[in-house]
Amino acid sequence: MKPLSGEMTPSWHTLSADAVYSDLQSTPNGLTEAEAARRLMEYGPNELQAARRTSPWVILFEQFKNVLILILLVATAISALLGHGVEAAAIAVIVFFAVLLGFVQEYRAERAVEALRHMAAPTATVLRDGREAKVPARDLVPGDVILLRAGDKVPADVRLIEAVNLQIEEAALTGESVPVEKHAASLTDDELALGDRKNMAYAGTAATYGRGRAMVVATGMDTEFGKIAQMLQTIETGKTPLQENLDKVGHMLARAAVVIVAVIVALGLFRGQTFISMLIFGIALAVAVVPEALPAVVTISLAIGVQRMVKRHALMRRLPAVETLGSTSVICSDKTGTLTKDEMTVRKILVAGQILEVSGAGYEPHGQFSHDSLTVEPSRLLKLLLRAAALASDTHIAYDGPDDRWHVRGDPTEGALVVAAAKAGLNKADLESQFPRVNEIPFTSETKRMTTLHAEQEGVVAYSKGAPEIILDSCVRWLAADGEAALDAASREAILETAHQMASEALRVLAVAFKADATLESAEHEMTFLGLMGMIDPPRPEAKSAIQTCEQAGIKVVMITGDHPLTAQAVARELGLLKTGHVVTGAELEAMNEAEFGREVENIEVYARVSPAHKLRVVTALQEKGHIVAMTGDGVNDAPALKKADIGIAMGITGTDVTKEAAAMTLTDDNFASIVAAVEEGRGIFGNIKKYLMYLLSSNVGEICLMAGASLVGLPLPLSAVQILYVNLVTDGLPALALSVDPPEPDLMRRPPRHPSAGIFTRPVVSLMAVGGLWSALVNLGLFAWALNSGRGAEGAMTMTFASLVLIQFFKAYNFRSDRHSVLNQAFANKWLNLAIVLDLLLLVIIIYVPFLQEPFGTFSLALIDWAIVVALAFSIFPVLELAKWIGRRGRFGGTSRSVLVE
């Protein structure tokens, strides 16, 4: 980047902060929004050119790289010159539609992946118009002032203006393995190496400790990192294991198909067919049955499926991870903010000797008070307690933010008190207006309490909250149901016993007291005890049902938290996660050797007081037991565990850039239920790819076996080149695409996880495809032979076979919606498949009956009796595939755990 003045780029590390501001025409408050927009136009987005998207024209021309299609078009042109113009035109039109379909599919996939890049792109904290704001890192411009915190990726090349204990990990750029301590002072040597420029930070590096403020001096391709051909914010789009598997399968089938096609063509020539007609037919058959698009189909299904996952708050950074999701057998989840709301909530209140329970979770000020499960209206004494607790707090609640929900401005614990008061109809702002604060004694770690003094009609009243023991020590009276009473030893002991009972339930307990006619000196002496308030960060309501779904799906959920064991145990028990009561602390984990931990790891349900380093050990031990592990994390130190896990899951709200970079998936709402939703979507995506491929390959097997069978038994070819290409277009077209968006099967999350080594082509699946393909070939071959012998002539026999083959493909589309369940189970649940079949049936009728289409397609108007025979024979695929599924369910096909085509 050149400076705004147009001179040579200065050595930014040698300039003072004021000189940097001057050269970049900026201020300590950053740029204005208008100036930032102008500079974005001038300098372009802050991204590497490697992220440029593929042109639609390139995608279109890619479709003609298939050698078979090019040869077919050449042969068709020769055929037209030899007088077969109608047939040649029909072939050209069908090939055009096939190319167009391929273009649309790949264009959608390209745009889907492009959309994922933008969704996965990091953000930066920037000062604009003097206000702190989050903006996409690609929108940064030279002159922007950014804020850096531990865990942030440095989004551009920057000159540090302020550095507080700031350390930057620069291994990606300089190879330095230890984080470098930074400062903001100017340096004198113009020729310093990058690693020695201690007042600079560079794009692609990461802050590991401390905080800082910096001025952007270079963006995009002008950064030091711009010289390195990688984009850390892009989606990784290398081939997935499934695509590599299908590459091998496609090549294997292609070789087999070419051999069979060559035999069919040779037999045709031997029987006296013309060379050009057999060449066109052979190439058309090869185009129809060679599944060269299988890997592309997987990309489309994965990319579009991943976009659906975004709507369920799960952003996948790596497409191969979608395949792994379906195999996940253990989810290791943080507690705070993922299984819980990360919003402290008052659950129990002791007032006037009575314990009340409070409903509602989080900061939403809606809930009820109950005693012995019966709802009660807030009493005068309860309102006095809640008023005192709210007034003795500095925190407010507000309904705002980008997500339009309730937020706390201040301390979360005080937020819980303010929300509890709001549930009783006591608004904090109204209370402060009615009882203005006139003085206060702030909280300290030594006093463990906070006291505020307020002006009321009767004089100045002091309200105090803090640790129960501390507050009770300053009280001489307590407020009973019938008025104030002396706080004797028995009453004091009963209150402390209640406080201990609440604490044993993992509640954080605060006591509240007041004093009338108070002064600053006397405020915390001879007070009157009002009550106790017990609070907890409550489990998310949706997390409990999500854990139950995991149990049904054969997925074990493990809680990992740095919190106290009692708190972890209480939350886990409320969620239904704790079955055996097996809780292990970090200290106990440290005391175990690898052999002991290996024996116990599958029985442990909760880890408490653990560090990020322990997470790595947990992941490793579970993987050694053969589990596919998903692990959540948000801090910088969680990155190694996330990289080690089969599915690393970063928190989108609280997570750092470093953890998001290490993770395969990011939760945009930090919610455990979104992990389970992602697993369900992952299983669904994999299932739909399987349906698509079963249908596609079974249809191809049926087509080539039909043609090969006819040649081997000495019959004429039952389909023309135009017909075989049309059948392929219909099969690969709308019905196949509809299967790729098929609704998930009802028992999808009631099945155990898929074994990692089990690909799509398990024995039952291969058997089902083979049965479908062979039955299709036998039925159509028999129909063709019978029609020829019944005096219908070659054209009539070919038309009946053509119609029968198309109908069988349609029936198979419904059958292959599941490889295990009956077709009658929600047969018409896929509305897109229903619509596709109706449209294709209409086209079939038009091709058979419209006179000017009969010549190019070689069709003949069928009588009603012909249709009856065709439909009856095509329908026979239903009971045959139902029987094959039944045998598969009973395990007669030899198991399901391994892939049989390609390991």
Side-chain angles (χ1 to χ4, degrees):
M1 188 215 75
K2 57 182 181 292
L4 299 182
S5 61
E7 299 170 0
M8 288 185 60
T9 304
S11 299
W12 298 108
H13 60 282
T14 65
L15 300 181
S16 67
D18 289 340
V20 174
Y21 284 129
S22 175
D23 269 28
L24 290 170
Q25 298 174 20
S26 187
T27 70
N29 289 327
L31 301 172
T32 64
E33 289 288 355
E35 176 62 16
R38 189 194 67 75
R39 294 192 188 188
L40 187 61
M41 291 292 292
E42 179 181 351
Y43 293 99
N46 176 35
E47 60 188 7
L48 301 190
Q49 292 171 2
R52 286 177 178 169
R53 64 190 190 185
T54 308
S55 161
W57 290 108
V58 172
I59 296 173
L60 180 60
F61 288 128
E62 287 282 336
Q63 307 308 308
F64 292 97
K65 282 190 174 180
N66 184 338
V67 176
L68 289 174
I69 284 184
L70 292 176
I71 295 174
L72 180 59
L73 289 175
V74 171
T76 303
I78 296 171
S79 176
L81 292 173
L82 294 176
H84 303 284
V86 176
E87 184 184 26
I91 291 176
V93 169
I94 292 173
V95 169
F96 168 76
F97 278 112
V99 166
L100 187 64
L101 178 66
F103 167 74
V104 169
Q105 288 179 327
E106 289 199 28
Y107 182 80
R108 287 180 68 197
E110 177 71 23
R111 292 299 166 265
V113 172
E114 182 70 21
L116 294 179
R117 284 195 183 103
H118 288 300
M119 286 185 283
T123 58
T125 305
V126 64
L127 289 180
R128 293 269 174 88
D129 293 316
R131 292 190 301 271
E132 189 175 318
K134 285 267 188 187
V135 301
R138 70 187 304 274
D139 291 345
L140 288 180
V141 295
D144 264 327
V145 175
I146 66 167
L147 304 179
L148 291 173
R149 299 182 179 90
D152 288 349
K153 280 281 183 185
V154 180
D157 286 3
V158 297
R159 165 69 160 84
L160 293 167
I161 305 301
E162 175 187 306
V164 181
N165 301 321
L166 182 63
Q167 295 181 12
I168 303 284
E169 195 272 309
E170 297 181 335
L173 188 64
T174 66
E176 178 67 49
S177 59
V178 179
V180 179
E181 291 189 14
K182 297 290 184 175
H183 59 73
S186 57
L187 303 169
T188 55
D189 187 351
D190 271 3
E191 304 302 323
L192 280 176
L194 291 180
D196 294 325
R197 298 178 187 178
K198 300 296 180 67
N199 58 6
M200 298 287 293
Y202 296 99
T205 62
T208 60
Y209 192 77
R211 59 183 175 85
R213 182 182 297 239
M215 171 77 71
V216 175
V217 297
T219 59
M221 295 303 291
D222 293 315
T223 63
E224 296 294 334
F225 215 80
K227 301 167 188 174
I228 301 171
Q230 65 175 351
M231 271 290 283
L232 291 178
Q233 69 265 42
T234 59
I235 297 291
E236 293 183 12
T237 54
K239 284 189 176 179
T240 73
L242 178 58
Q243 284 175 302
E244 291 173 352
N245 184 294
L246 290 177
D247 264 338
K248 297 174 186 175
V249 172
H251 290 143
M252 183 179 72
L253 294 178
R255 287 192 293 270
V258 167
V259 170
I260 295 171
V261 168
V263 170
I264 293 171
V265 171
L267 288 172
L269 291 172
F270 179 74
R271 292 187 184 127
Q273 299 284 339
T274 64
F275 175 76
I276 191 67
S277 65
M278 287 311 299
L279 176 65
I280 291 173
F281 179 83
I283 297 170
L285 183 58
V287 168
V289 300
V290 173
E292 73 285 336
L294 290 188
V297 165
V298 175
T299 301
I300 294 162
S301 299
L302 288 175
I304 294 173
V306 164
Q307 283 191 312
R308 284 205 312 273
M309 293 171 71
V310 171
K311 295 176 183 176
R312 301 186 72 174
H313 307 290
L315 172 58
M316 303 301 300
R317 290 186 59 87
R318 301 179 178 94
L319 290 184
V322 178
E323 295 174 32
T324 313
L325 271 174
S327 301
T328 301
S329 57
V330 179
I331 300 174
C332 297
S333 175
D334 286 322
K335 176 184 73 70
T336 304
T338 307
L339 289 167
T340 66
K341 291 179 71 73
D342 197 16
E343 298 177 358
M344 293 296 286
T345 305
V346 173
R347 280 286 184 84
K348 287 190 175 182
I349 294 176
L350 172 69
V351 61
Q354 189 178 62
I355 293 181
L356 302 178
E357 294 183 346
V358 188
S359 66
Y363 296 142
E364 193 169 337
H366 304 297
Q368 294 180 320
F369 301 88
S370 60
H371 177 62
D372 291 337
S373 301
L374 296 175
T375 301
V376 297
E377 288 299 315
S379 65
R380 180 184 63 83
L381 297 182
L382 175 59
K383 286 187 174 182
L384 178 58
L385 167 64
L386 294 171
R387 183 176 85 191
L391 286 172
S393 302
D394 291 327
T395 298
H396 291 77
I397 59 170
Y399 186 77
D400 58 12
D403 48 0
D404 287 331
R405 62 191 186 95
W406 290 93
H407 294 267
V408 157
R409 293 175 178 170
D411 179 70
T413 301
E414 289 189 348
L417 305 179
V418 174
V419 170
K423 289 175 181 177
L426 302 176
N427 181 276
K428 177 74 183 297
D430 294 341
L431 290 174
E432 290 178 332
S433 175
Q434 189 177 355
F435 310 109
R437 185 184 296 187
V438 295
N439 220 325
E440 65 181 85
I441 303 172
F443 174 89
T444 67
S445 56
E446 290 78 25
T447 61
K448 295 182 180 179
R449 69 188 298 168
M450 175 179 178
T451 304
T452 58
L453 286 78
H454 299 264
E456 298 189 9
Q457 289 181 347
E458 297 80 10
V460 175
V461 177
Y463 296 118
S464 189
K465 71 178 193 308
E469 296 84 356
I470 301 295
I471 296 296
L472 278 172
D473 281 347
S474 63
C475 292
V476 294
R477 290 176 296 280
W478 71 288
L479 201 58
D482 53 357
E484 288 191 22
L487 185 64
D488 54 23
S491 300
R492 192 182 301 270
E493 188 62 35
I495 291 169
L496 285 174
E497 179 60 33
T498 302
H500 292 151
Q501 178 60 36
M502 286 186 179
S504 71
E505 297 171 17
L507 297 175
R508 181 180 181 186
V509 186
L510 290 180
V512 183
F514 82 103
K515 178 182 176 66
D517 298 323
T519 63
L520 194 61
E521 293 73 23
S522 67
E524 295 182 341
H525 303 282
E526 298 185 348
M527 303 189 80
T528 300
F529 178 80
L530 286 173
L532 298 174
M533 302 180 75
M535 64 202 76
I536 195 172
D537 176 14
R540 291 179 179 267
E542 63 272 23
K544 187 169 185 177
S545 60
I547 288 172
Q548 290 171 348
T549 301
C550 285
E551 287 180 8
Q552 294 171 351
I555 301 169
K556 178 182 175 68
V557 180
V558 176
M559 178 193 289
I560 300 184
T561 179
D563 214 335
H564 193 280
L566 271 180
T567 306
Q569 197 167 0
V571 172
R573 188 165 282 117
E574 187 170 343
L575 286 168
L577 192 153
L578 199 61
K579 302 288 191 302
T580 64
H582 207 144
V583 181
V584 168
T585 65
E588 291 167 341
L589 187 59
E590 290 280 358
M592 291 185 191
N593 60 38
E594 294 305 319
E596 290 172 331
F597 185 44
R599 286 193 298 270
E600 290 294 320
V601 69
E602 291 183 301
N603 301 318
I604 301 170
E605 294 166 329
V606 176
Y607 295 86
R609 283 284 191 256
V610 295
S611 68
H614 293 133
K615 285 187 173 184
L616 187 60
R617 191 178 176 196
V618 172
V619 170
T620 304
L622 286 168
Q623 287 175 330
E624 286 174 354
K625 290 288 185 180
H627 290 287
I628 301 298
V629 184
M631 168 72 78
T632 69
D634 53 9
V636 177
N637 294 335
D638 289 331
L642 296 191
K643 275 191 174 291
K644 175 67 175 171
D646 300 281
I647 299 284
I649 304 171
M651 300 296 109
I653 299 172
T654 59
T656 61
D657 289 343
V658 173
T659 52
K660 291 174 190 175
E661 190 66 37
M665 182 169 87
T666 298
L667 300 183
T668 57
D669 62 349
D670 290 10
N671 191 338
F672 177 81
S674 298
I675 303 175
V676 182
V679 171
E680 183 179 359
E681 284 289 346
R683 288 187 178 191
I685 291 167
F686 192 87
N688 285 351
I689 292 172
K690 180 167 69 173
K691 296 170 190 177
Y692 187 114
L693 295 175
M694 283 195 301
Y695 171 64
L696 199 67
L697 296 179
S698 177
S699 299
N700 288 359
V701 168
E703 291 163 20
I704 200 161
C705 286
L706 169 63
M707 309 311 291
S711 296
L712 290 173
V713 299
L715 290 172
L717 292 173
L719 296 173
S720 68
V722 176
Q723 288 172 343
I724 197 73
L725 283 172
Y726 179 79
V727 170
N728 178 64
L729 180 64
V730 168
T731 303
D732 286 358
L734 297 178
L737 288 176
L739 282 177
S740 69
V741 292
D742 199 52
E745 295 180 55
D747 66 340
L748 187 67
M749 291 299 283
R750 294 196 295 274
R751 303 174 189 170
R754 178 174 52 84
H755 194 280
S757 64
I760 281 179
F761 301 110
T762 58
R763 285 187 181 87
V765 167
V766 172
S767 302
L768 200 61
M769 288 192 302
V771 167
L774 291 174
W775 183 258
S776 171
L778 286 171
V779 165
N780 287 306
L781 190 59
L783 172 63
F784 182 63
W786 174 83
L788 283 176
N789 292 326
S790 67
R792 281 172 171 77
E795 199 172 56
M798 290 175 74
T799 301
M800 290 183 74
T801 306
F802 172 61
S804 172
L805 181 59
V806 171
L807 290 181
I808 279 184
Q809 312 285 48
F810 292 166
F811 286 138
K812 281 201 286 189
Y814 284 103
N815 270 102
F816 286 135
R817 288 192 58 236
S818 175
D819 63 320
R820 61 178 72 197
H821 295 304
S822 168
V823 69
L824 301 176
N825 185 10
Q826 296 185 327
F828 301 106
N830 187 338
K831 63 180 181 180
W832 298 111
L833 181 60
N834 300 335
L835 183 61
I837 297 298
V838 169
L839 289 174
D840 282 337
L841 280 174
L842 184 62
L843 286 174
L844 178 64
V845 171
I846 290 171
I847 287 169
I848 290 176
Y849 287 105
V850 174
F852 76 85
L853 291 176
Q854 288 179 334
E855 183 182 352
F857 281 93
T859 55
F860 179 84
S861 296
L862 297 179
L864 194 59
I865 185 64
D866 296 334
W867 275 114
I869 295 168
V870 165
V871 171
L873 288 173
F875 187 80
S876 67
I877 196 72
F878 267 127
V880 170
L881 288 177
E882 285 294 291
L883 178 63
K885 289 181 187 179
W886 181 79
I887 294 172
R889 288 195 295 270
R890 295 177 65 86
R892 303 286 176 83
F893 284 143
T896 61
S897 63
R898 300 287 290 177
S899 174
V900 296
L901 285 184
V902 178
E903 293 293 346

